Amino acid sequence: MSAELRLQGLSRKLVNDGLLDEAKAIEAIKGAHSEKITFTQYLVNNKILSAKKIAMEASVEFGLPVFDLDALDMEIIPKDLVDDKLIEKHHALPLYKRGNRLYVGISDPTNLAAIDDIKFQTGTNTEAVLVEVDKLSSIIEKLLDEDDGMDDMLDDGLEDLEFTDTDEAPRDEDTGSSIDDTPVVKFINKMLLDAIKKGASDLHFEPYEKRYRVRFRIDGVLREVASPPIGLSMKMAARLKVMSKMDTAERRVPQDGRIKLKISKNKAIDFRVNTCPTLFGEKVVMRILDPSSASLGIDMLGYEPDQKEHYMNALANPYGMILVTGPTGSGKTVSLYTGLNILNTEDTNISTAEDPVEINLEGINQVNVNEKTGMTFEAALRAFLRQDPDIIMVGEIRDLATAEIAIKAAQTGHMVMSTLHTNDAPLTLARLVNMGVPPFNIAAAVNLIIAQRLGRRLCEKCKTVHDIPEAVLREEGFTEEQISAKPTLYKAVGCDACDNGYKGRVGIYQVMPISEAIGRIIMENGTALDVADQAQKDGVNNLRQSAIIKVVSGVTSLEEINRVTQD
């Protein structure tokens, strides 16, 4: 077969438009056939062309409309209409159904067999819509993972869930106690699966004098979901400790553990587990660690355009320090890993030290800090610096020794990223000074500080207009410019698709580059208030101002930002 005959349809269009070399196009066709993927998948996977460019070219060549999958509501996908095997085989996704017409997203318009097979199976009038191949792959993977046995596990065989770990899977008989009680096992497994399905960030198992309750934190707010008999308190704690590889005989001191729950052949969820002795038994808190959160992309986190630009500029620096601050559960790790994901290339050596590692990312050397064995943040940092690093991420700067090594690394040609627990960006500088770090070292090393909170997003299906008097808006911190623009503000209502009017969360940020003026204030031992005043002059929004922007843009409500930020 000649080269000319091989180039047909989309491949020929890309070559004719000068977007693809003919030899490379032929190589891509062969590679796609060899890897059993589509031509468009091969081009994007190997970074030959962007998914967006391919979709636009295909639209012109085949006369098909292009649909942006970012605008797709996952809940309207008629996923039960088309067999999972058919979706996987053809890399095609039913997007939505209107009457007897089914719109199917495809990235390769030459894949006519996909449309024919779906049309035959569903009995609908099937129409093709072009979508970007990378977004299509992501949604199909997510959809198949959700469906792959999750519903069955909720109904049957809850005592047979597969838990995996680096060590041997937990066995009830190891404890020498009767915690293999099937009702307890089934109840705990159901709680774990319910928490995953509802998008909870953590679970709380809490014993009291006369009752026992289980709460989920969903979108940052705790909700009671169950109240099992108080007599099961010890069995529940013991079962959770067995699953987490803890010492079941020790009930006097806090313990830490970890669980890996395999929910499908392609996906496993990690739980970070902590026990704490209370008056009436051990309270157990489980944090759900979802590795997919690191691949959301910076555009999904909620940065305003100028804030995103500051972050990207700081990431582009070959050396210096980026600090992220905020309370536990405010998304600091996701912000850091989103940046690491951007920097994670073949020619970059990245090492992280965390307590514990929350997100596993291929291409990054990750170390679990363990104080008992002597693997402290300080020890990990010293080891990293002997291994020719380009980028170092420290889970948290807790003491002067760690701070000094991190700052020294940032001053000697390394990019250092870390977190601190402070209320806002200016206070972070004061915290470093209080630790004992010399001000001139702070000014020389720190490039950017990000303070953040997480607020709940209003449900797009049920949010309703909220009329608020101008006087109240002024008291809440809205500017005269914002008030005069007469923005449409919304409030939460609540419907079947959300949780009390909210669904999902969005980041609220204060992104403060260390300007020359702020650097001088630090060198002159200025206070956090002096830094905050200068940051305002530099055009840096504080957390409250950033939160108000989210209200004005209709992303969240005034009530919600009052919950997570102060005026």
Side-chain angles (χ1 to χ4, degrees):
M1 185 182 291
S2 67
E4 289 75 22
L5 290 177
R6 293 186 187 187
L7 297 181
Q8 298 177 359
L10 181 59
S11 60
R12 183 173 58 193
K13 169 74 173 168
L14 295 173
V15 171
N16 289 343
D17 286 357
L19 296 173
L20 199 59
D21 179 80
E22 185 174 307
K24 187 154 277 189
I26 295 169
E27 181 187 332
I29 292 170
K30 289 179 180 178
H33 180 74
S34 171
E35 296 179 23
K36 296 182 180 179
I37 58 176
T38 66
F39 174 63
T40 54
Q41 279 180 292
Y42 185 89
L43 292 177
V44 173
N45 289 353
N46 290 276
K47 299 181 179 178
I48 298 171
L49 282 176
S50 73
K52 187 172 184 179
K53 193 67 172 174
I54 294 170
M56 293 303 177
E57 288 291 316
S59 175
V60 174
E61 176 69 10
F62 294 93
L64 293 176
V66 177
F67 180 78
D68 185 0
L69 287 175
D70 285 340
L72 179 68
D73 183 352
M74 292 281 287
E75 292 189 0
I76 70 168
I77 296 176
K79 52 186 176 183
D80 297 329
L81 203 59
V82 181
D83 186 76
D84 287 353
K85 291 180 180 176
L86 210 56
I87 292 174
E88 199 167 13
K89 174 185 175 185
H90 290 303
H91 202 248
L93 180 69
L95 300 177
Y96 55 95
K97 187 171 181 280
R98 185 178 297 160
N100 194 42
R101 192 173 299 278
L102 179 66
Y103 295 88
V104 177
I106 59 172
S107 61
D108 186 350
T110 62
N111 187 8
L112 301 178
I115 304 300
D116 291 341
D117 284 356
I118 292 174
K119 183 177 182 179
F120 178 77
Q121 187 192 80
T122 61
T124 59
N125 294 323
T126 306
E127 288 193 16
V129 177
L130 274 173
V131 295
E132 293 169 46
V133 65
D134 52 351
K135 295 178 182 178
L136 178 63
S137 299
S138 177
I139 290 182
I140 287 177
E141 183 180 347
K142 186 175 181 181
L143 206 63
L144 295 181
D145 274 346
E146 283 178 355
D147 289 344
D148 195 2
M150 178 69 104
D151 291 330
D152 293 336
M153 287 193 288
L154 284 171
D155 298 325
D156 305 304
L158 280 166
E159 68 271 24
D160 298 324
L161 288 187
E162 185 178 348
F163 295 94
T164 61
D165 208 324
T166 51
D167 303 321
E168 188 179 355
R171 299 197 306 258
D172 294 339
E173 60 266 30
D174 289 344
T175 65
S177 61
S178 58
I179 58 169
D180 58 344
D181 191 333
T182 298
V184 171
V185 172
K186 290 185 72 171
F187 176 78
I188 289 176
N189 290 350
K190 186 178 188 306
M191 288 296 98
L192 301 189
L193 291 172
D194 280 354
I196 294 168
K197 289 204 79 172
K198 291 179 180 179
S201 59
D202 42 81
L203 302 82
H204 295 242
F205 294 83
E206 302 169 315
Y208 297 95
E209 185 176 11
K210 296 180 180 178
R211 65 186 294 251
Y212 191 96
R213 72 175 176 181
V214 181
R215 293 190 291 173
F216 293 171
R217 190 180 294 279
I218 301 172
D219 292 337
V221 178
L222 282 167
R223 309 272 184 212
E224 183 171 339
V225 295
S227 184
I230 184 63
L232 295 177
S233 172
M234 289 184 66
K235 285 188 176 182
M236 301 267 278
R239 172 63 184 169
L240 289 166
K241 287 163 76 172
V242 167
M243 295 165 68
S244 311
K245 303 291 197 312
M246 296 183 194
D247 182 357
T248 55
E250 179 57 77
R251 302 190 185 107
R252 299 164 299 175
V253 296
Q255 295 188 63
D256 291 298
R258 200 174 181 118
I259 298 172
K260 183 183 287 289
L261 169 59
K262 189 171 183 181
I263 61 174
S264 76
K265 62 183 179 183
N266 298 320
K267 188 170 185 179
I269 297 287
D270 285 336
F271 295 82
R272 190 175 75 192
V273 187
N274 175 266
T275 66
C276 183
T278 67
L279 280 176
F280 304 105
E282 290 179 283
K283 175 179 177 178
V284 183
V285 176
M286 309 177 72
R287 170 71 63 86
I288 299 176
L289 309 176
D290 187 358
S292 64
S293 57
S295 57
L296 286 174
I298 194 168
D299 292 321
M300 297 295 290
L301 300 186
Y303 287 95
E304 300 300 327
D306 61 321
Q307 295 175 336
K308 175 186 171 183
E309 184 181 356
H310 288 320
Y311 192 15
M312 296 299 289
N313 287 342
L315 290 172
N317 283 333
Y319 53 86
M321 182 179 282
I322 297 174
L323 294 172
V324 182
T325 182
T328 301
S330 60
K332 299 188 298 294
T333 302
V334 172
S335 280
L336 285 177
Y337 265 93
T338 299
L340 289 177
N341 216 6
I342 293 169
L343 299 170
N344 186 15
T345 57
E346 184 183 352
D347 58 355
T348 305
N349 179 16
I350 304 176
S351 296
T352 76
E354 301 164 76
D355 182 17
V357 172
E358 294 189 12
I359 296 171
N360 182 22
L361 202 57
E362 187 175 344
I364 292 178
N365 308 290
Q366 298 169 287
V367 172
N368 260 326
V369 167
N370 188 335
E371 302 280 346
K372 293 178 182 177
T373 63
M375 179 54 82
T376 60
F377 282 117
E378 180 186 359
L381 268 174
R382 291 188 188 281
F384 291 164
L385 291 172
R386 290 192 287 269
Q387 296 200 343
D388 186 30
D390 297 301
I391 299 160
I392 296 170
M393 197 271 267
V394 186
E396 183 185 350
I397 294 177
R398 296 177 179 172
D399 52 50
L400 177 59
T402 305
E404 285 181 334
I405 299 171
I407 283 177
K408 191 174 291 183
Q411 290 176 308
T412 54
H414 307 93
M415 164 69 74
V416 179
M417 305 171 76
S418 189
T419 70
L420 277 169
H421 286 280
T422 57
N423 286 331
D424 61 14
L427 283 170
T428 304
L429 297 170
R431 171 90 175 105
L432 288 172
V433 172
N434 289 340
M435 275 186 183
V437 180
F440 61 86
N441 279 343
I442 299 171
V446 180
N447 289 340
L448 182 77
I449 301 175
I450 301 173
Q452 66 181 78
R453 300 289 186 276
L454 286 177
R456 292 177 293 172
R457 288 180 182 269
L458 283 165
C459 173
E460 292 295 331
K461 291 187 177 180
C462 68
K463 70 180 183 181
T464 188
V465 174
H466 190 193
D467 292 323
I468 303 175
E470 290 186 3
V472 174
L473 295 180
R474 287 189 183 90
E475 289 177 7
E476 294 288 353
F478 286 67
T479 64
E480 290 300 326
E481 185 180 351
Q482 288 169 331
I483 294 170
S484 62
K486 298 190 180 302
T488 303
L489 308 182
Y490 296 90
K491 64 180 178 181
V493 177
C495 66
D496 293 339
C498 67
D499 182 32
N500 293 329
Y502 297 96
K503 187 172 183 181
R505 289 194 284 178
V506 64
I508 297 168
Y509 302 95
Q510 179 185 26
V511 181
M512 188 179 81
I514 305 303
S515 63
E516 288 186 15
I518 290 177
R520 281 195 297 271
I521 291 171
I522 298 168
M523 297 275 284
E524 294 166 2
N525 292 313
T527 66
L529 288 175
D530 297 329
V531 174
D533 289 341
Q534 183 59 49
Q536 287 284 299
K537 292 176 185 175
D538 292 344
V540 174
N541 286 329
N542 61 31
L543 285 166
R544 181 67 181 184
Q545 291 165 335
S546 294
I548 288 172
I549 291 172
K550 294 288 189 292
V551 175
V552 170
S553 59
V555 173
T556 190
S557 67
L558 183 58
E559 291 80 7
E560 178 62 9
I561 70 161
N562 283 338
R563 186 180 71 85
V564 297
T565 65
Q566 61 182 5
D567 194 358

PDB file of all heavy atoms in Angstrom, residues 176-193:
ATOM      1  N   GLY A 176      -7.278 -12.113  67.458  1.00  0.00           N
ATOM      2  CA  GLY A 176      -7.648 -12.956  68.585  1.00  0.00           C
ATOM      3  C   GLY A 176      -8.937 -12.515  69.236  1.00  0.00           C
ATOM      4  O   GLY A 176      -9.239 -12.878  70.356  1.00  0.00           O
ATOM      5  N   SER A 177      -9.739 -11.688  68.559  1.00  0.00           N
ATOM      6  CA  SER A 177     -11.010 -11.242  69.108  1.00  0.00           C
ATOM      7  C   SER A 177     -12.117 -11.492  68.118  1.00  0.00           C
ATOM      8  O   SER A 177     -11.883 -11.851  66.979  1.00  0.00           O
ATOM      9  CB  SER A 177     -10.940  -9.751  69.464  1.00  0.00           C
ATOM     10  OG  SER A 177     -10.687  -9.012  68.308  1.00  0.00           O
ATOM     11  N   SER A 178     -13.340 -11.285  68.565  1.00  0.00           N
ATOM     12  CA  SER A 178     -14.487 -11.635  67.730  1.00  0.00           C
ATOM     13  C   SER A 178     -14.954 -10.455  66.900  1.00  0.00           C
ATOM     14  O   SER A 178     -16.122 -10.111  66.886  1.00  0.00           O
ATOM     15  CB  SER A 178     -15.637 -12.118  68.616  1.00  0.00           C
ATOM     16  OG  SER A 178     -15.975 -11.111  69.553  1.00  0.00           O
ATOM     17  N   ILE A 179     -14.019  -9.810  66.204  1.00  0.00           N
ATOM     18  CA  ILE A 179     -14.394  -8.642  65.420  1.00  0.00           C
ATOM     19  C   ILE A 179     -14.708  -9.016  63.976  1.00  0.00           C
ATOM     20  O   ILE A 179     -14.881  -8.154  63.137  1.00  0.00           O
ATOM     21  CB  ILE A 179     -13.278  -7.576  65.446  1.00  0.00           C
ATOM     22  CG1 ILE A 179     -11.984  -8.164  64.925  1.00  0.00           C
ATOM     23  CG2 ILE A 179     -13.113  -7.010  66.813  1.00  0.00           C
ATOM     24  CD1 ILE A 179     -10.933  -7.133  64.677  1.00  0.00           C
ATOM     25  N   ASP A 180     -14.774 -10.347  63.698  1.00  0.00           N
ATOM     26  CA  ASP A 180     -15.165 -10.769  62.367  1.00  0.00           C
ATOM     27  C   ASP A 180     -16.683 -10.883  62.283  1.00  0.00           C
ATOM     28  O   ASP A 180     -17.219 -11.565  61.436  1.00  0.00           O
ATOM     29  CB  ASP A 180     -14.496 -12.108  62.001  1.00  0.00           C
ATOM     30  CG  ASP A 180     -14.837 -13.217  62.992  1.00  0.00           C
ATOM     31  OD1 ASP A 180     -15.319 -12.882  64.085  1.00  0.00           O
ATOM     32  OD2 ASP A 180     -14.614 -14.390  62.654  1.00  0.00           O
ATOM     33  N   ASP A 181     -17.366 -10.190  63.206  1.00  0.00           N
ATOM     34  CA  ASP A 181     -18.811 -10.153  63.226  1.00  0.00           C
ATOM     35  C   ASP A 181     -19.299  -9.594  61.888  1.00  0.00           C
ATOM     36  O   ASP A 181     -19.046  -8.439  61.553  1.00  0.00           O
ATOM     37  CB  ASP A 181     -19.256  -9.239  64.385  1.00  0.00           C
ATOM     38  CG  ASP A 181     -20.738  -9.333  64.652  1.00  0.00           C
ATOM     39  OD1 ASP A 181     -21.466  -9.650  63.706  1.00  0.00           O
ATOM     40  OD2 ASP A 181     -21.150  -9.086  65.801  1.00  0.00           O
ATOM     41  N   THR A 182     -20.014 -10.418  61.128  1.00  0.00           N
ATOM     42  CA  THR A 182     -20.418 -10.034  59.776  1.00  0.00           C
ATOM     43  C   THR A 182     -21.212  -8.736  59.736  1.00  0.00           C
ATOM     44  O   THR A 182     -20.949  -7.890  58.879  1.00  0.00           O
ATOM     45  CB  THR A 182     -21.206 -11.167  59.109  1.00  0.00           C
ATOM     46  OG1 THR A 182     -20.343 -12.291  59.009  1.00  0.00           O
ATOM     47  CG2 THR A 182     -21.666 -10.766  57.719  1.00  0.00           C
ATOM     48  N   PRO A 183     -22.176  -8.482  60.639  1.00  0.00           N
ATOM     49  CA  PRO A 183     -22.883  -7.206  60.585  1.00  0.00           C
ATOM     50  C   PRO A 183     -21.956  -5.992  60.715  1.00  0.00           C
ATOM     51  O   PRO A 183     -22.139  -4.992  60.031  1.00  0.00           O
ATOM     52  CB  PRO A 183     -23.855  -7.288  61.776  1.00  0.00           C
ATOM     53  CG  PRO A 183     -24.069  -8.741  61.982  1.00  0.00           C
ATOM     54  CD  PRO A 183     -22.759  -9.389  61.647  1.00  0.00           C
ATOM     55  N   VAL A 184     -20.952  -6.090  61.585  1.00  0.00           N
ATOM     56  CA  VAL A 184     -20.004  -4.974  61.755  1.00  0.00           C
ATOM     57  C   VAL A 184     -19.180  -4.784  60.488  1.00  0.00           C
ATOM     58  O   VAL A 184     -18.989  -3.665  60.008  1.00  0.00           O
ATOM     59  CB  VAL A 184     -19.088  -5.222  62.973  1.00  0.00           C
ATOM     60  CG1 VAL A 184     -17.966  -4.187  63.030  1.00  0.00           C
ATOM     61  CG2 VAL A 184     -19.894  -5.201  64.261  1.00  0.00           C
ATOM     62  N   VAL A 185     -18.694  -5.913  59.933  1.00  0.00           N
ATOM     63  CA  VAL A 185     -17.896  -5.857  58.710  1.00  0.00           C
ATOM     64  C   VAL A 185     -18.704  -5.230  57.575  1.00  0.00           C
ATOM     65  O   VAL A 185     -18.239  -4.325  56.871  1.00  0.00           O
ATOM     66  CB  VAL A 185     -17.411  -7.269  58.308  1.00  0.00           C
ATOM     67  CG1 VAL A 185     -16.741  -7.230  56.938  1.00  0.00           C
ATOM     68  CG2 VAL A 185     -16.454  -7.823  59.347  1.00  0.00           C
ATOM     69  N   LYS A 186     -19.943  -5.696  57.398  1.00  0.00           N
ATOM     70  CA  LYS A 186     -20.790  -5.190  56.313  1.00  0.00           C
ATOM     71  C   LYS A 186     -21.125  -3.712  56.527  1.00  0.00           C
ATOM     72  O   LYS A 186     -21.136  -2.925  55.574  1.00  0.00           O
ATOM     73  CB  LYS A 186     -22.076  -6.011  56.209  1.00  0.00           C
ATOM     74  CG  LYS A 186     -21.857  -7.430  55.698  1.00  0.00           C
ATOM     75  CD  LYS A 186     -23.169  -8.168  55.494  1.00  0.00           C
ATOM     76  CE  LYS A 186     -23.915  -7.628  54.293  1.00  0.00           C
ATOM     77  NZ  LYS A 186     -25.087  -8.463  53.945  1.00  0.00           N
ATOM     78  N   PHE A 187     -21.376  -3.328  57.780  1.00  0.00           N
ATOM     79  CA  PHE A 187     -21.722  -1.932  58.060  1.00  0.00           C
ATOM     80  C   PHE A 187     -20.561  -1.002  57.729  1.00  0.00           C
ATOM     81  O   PHE A 187     -20.735   0.023  57.068  1.00  0.00           O
ATOM     82  CB  PHE A 187     -22.125  -1.767  59.522  1.00  0.00           C
ATOM     83  CG  PHE A 187     -22.393  -0.337  59.905  1.00  0.00           C
ATOM     84  CD1 PHE A 187     -23.580   0.275  59.558  1.00  0.00           C
ATOM     85  CD2 PHE A 187     -21.434   0.413  60.586  1.00  0.00           C
ATOM     86  CE1 PHE A 187     -23.822   1.607  59.890  1.00  0.00           C
ATOM     87  CE2 PHE A 187     -21.664   1.737  60.919  1.00  0.00           C
ATOM     88  CZ  PHE A 187     -22.867   2.332  60.579  1.00  0.00           C
ATOM     89  N   ILE A 188     -19.350  -1.361  58.181  1.00  0.00           N
ATOM     90  CA  ILE A 188     -18.190  -0.501  57.922  1.00  0.00           C
ATOM     91  C   ILE A 188     -17.892  -0.427  56.429  1.00  0.00           C
ATOM     92  O   ILE A 188     -17.632   0.651  55.887  1.00  0.00           O
ATOM     93  CB  ILE A 188     -16.962  -1.000  58.711  1.00  0.00           C
ATOM     94  CG1 ILE A 188     -17.162  -0.709  60.203  1.00  0.00           C
ATOM     95  CG2 ILE A 188     -15.682  -0.335  58.209  1.00  0.00           C
ATOM     96  CD1 ILE A 188     -16.069  -1.221  61.099  1.00  0.00           C
ATOM     97  N   ASN A 189     -17.954  -1.563  55.747  1.00  0.00           N
ATOM     98  CA  ASN A 189     -17.706  -1.548  54.305  1.00  0.00           C
ATOM     99  C   ASN A 189     -18.723  -0.675  53.575  1.00  0.00           C
ATOM    100  O   ASN A 189     -18.401   0.040  52.627  1.00  0.00           O
ATOM    101  CB  ASN A 189     -17.735  -2.971  53.749  1.00  0.00           C
ATOM    102  CG  ASN A 189     -16.540  -3.787  54.200  1.00  0.00           C
ATOM    103  OD1 ASN A 189     -15.586  -3.238  54.772  1.00  0.00           O
ATOM    104  ND2 ASN A 189     -16.567  -5.084  53.969  1.00  0.00           N
ATOM    105  N   LYS A 190     -19.974  -0.753  54.025  1.00  0.00           N
ATOM    106  CA  LYS A 190     -21.010   0.078  53.399  1.00  0.00           C
ATOM    107  C   LYS A 190     -20.735   1.553  53.648  1.00  0.00           C
ATOM    108  O   LYS A 190     -20.934   2.400  52.756  1.00  0.00           O
ATOM    109  CB  LYS A 190     -22.389  -0.292  53.937  1.00  0.00           C
ATOM    110  CG  LYS A 190     -23.533   0.437  53.217  1.00  0.00           C
ATOM    111  CD  LYS A 190     -24.886   0.013  53.732  1.00  0.00           C
ATOM    112  CE  LYS A 190     -25.992   0.601  52.865  1.00  0.00           C
ATOM    113  NZ  LYS A 190     -25.926   2.055  52.711  1.00  0.00           N
ATOM    114  N   MET A 191     -20.277   1.900  54.850  1.00  0.00           N
ATOM    115  CA  MET A 191     -19.945   3.291  55.150  1.00  0.00           C
ATOM    116  C   MET A 191     -18.830   3.799  54.220  1.00  0.00           C
ATOM    117  O   MET A 191     -18.883   4.920  53.712  1.00  0.00           O
ATOM    118  CB  MET A 191     -19.506   3.433  56.613  1.00  0.00           C
ATOM    119  CG  MET A 191     -20.615   3.303  57.640  1.00  0.00           C
ATOM    120  SD  MET A 191     -21.877   4.595  57.550  1.00  0.00           S
ATOM    121  CE  MET A 191     -23.160   3.752  56.609  1.00  0.00           C
ATOM    122  N   LEU A 192     -17.821   2.960  53.994  1.00  0.00           N
ATOM    123  CA  LEU A 192     -16.715   3.371  53.121  1.00  0.00           C
ATOM    124  C   LEU A 192     -17.206   3.610  51.705  1.00  0.00           C
ATOM    125  O   LEU A 192     -16.857   4.614  51.068  1.00  0.00           O
ATOM    126  CB  LEU A 192     -15.613   2.303  53.120  1.00  0.00           C
ATOM    127  CG  LEU A 192     -14.964   1.938  54.469  1.00  0.00           C
ATOM    128  CD1 LEU A 192     -13.752   1.038  54.243  1.00  0.00           C
ATOM    129  CD2 LEU A 192     -14.554   3.173  55.239  1.00  0.00           C
ATOM    130  N   LEU A 193     -18.023   2.711  51.195  1.00  0.00           N
ATOM    131  CA  LEU A 193     -18.522   2.846  49.834  1.00  0.00           C
ATOM    132  C   LEU A 193     -19.480   4.027  49.708  1.00  0.00           C
ATOM    133  O   LEU A 193     -19.453   4.768  48.714  1.00  0.00           O
ATOM    134  CB  LEU A 193     -19.219   1.558  49.395  1.00  0.00           C
ATOM    135  CG  LEU A 193     -18.290   0.359  49.189  1.00  0.00           C
ATOM    136  CD1 LEU A 193     -19.091  -0.903  48.958  1.00  0.00           C
ATOM    137  CD2 LEU A 193     -17.347   0.598  48.018  1.00  0.00           C
TER     138      LEU A 193
END
